[in-house]
Amino acid sequence: DKSSNTSRKLVMMSHGLALTIIVVAGVGLLKLGYGSFGDKWVHAKLGIWLFLGAAPALIYRVPGAAKMLWFILPLMGGLAFYMARYKLG
């Protein structure tokens, strides 16, 4: 239950701050010439970023998915890094 979870606010603030840092850094790198908004890997990274942003809502709405997301979320983050590093797509 949301109301009984005392650390929920801290977790959500940390999650939002991390997502903001990730997107600002990514746009900054694009502006420095490390890619363009038309690249497929940039679109894939934005999709992964949106999925990561929705993860807390998925966990709270579908508690049974939490175990599965515990493994999928780090893999998605790793995939986003790999795609950016090697410009896949």
Side-chain angles (χ1 to χ4, degrees):
D1 184 65
K2 291 181 187 180
S3 60
S4 65
N5 190 346
T6 57
S7 60
R8 182 178 187 273
K9 184 176 180 180
L10 178 63
V11 169
M12 294 307 292
M13 287 188 328
S14 300
H15 179 72
L17 179 62
L19 285 174
T20 302
I21 290 170
I22 289 168
V23 79
V24 168
V27 170
L29 286 174
L30 290 175
K31 292 291 183 182
L32 289 174
Y34 288 99
S36 71
F37 286 106
D39 294 343
K40 291 179 184 176
W41 67 269
V42 174
H43 293 179
K45 277 187 62 89
L46 284 172
I48 292 170
W49 181 78
L50 289 171
F51 177 75
L52 293 175
L58 289 172
I59 291 170
Y60 280 109
R61 293 183 196 276
V62 187
K67 278 187 179 179
M68 181 178 59
L69 288 173
W70 179 256
F71 295 103
I72 290 175
L73 292 175
L75 291 175
M76 295 296 283
L79 177 64
F81 167 77
Y82 186 80
M83 292 181 77
R85 174 71 176 96
Y86 297 106
K87 309 291 187 273
L88 299 177

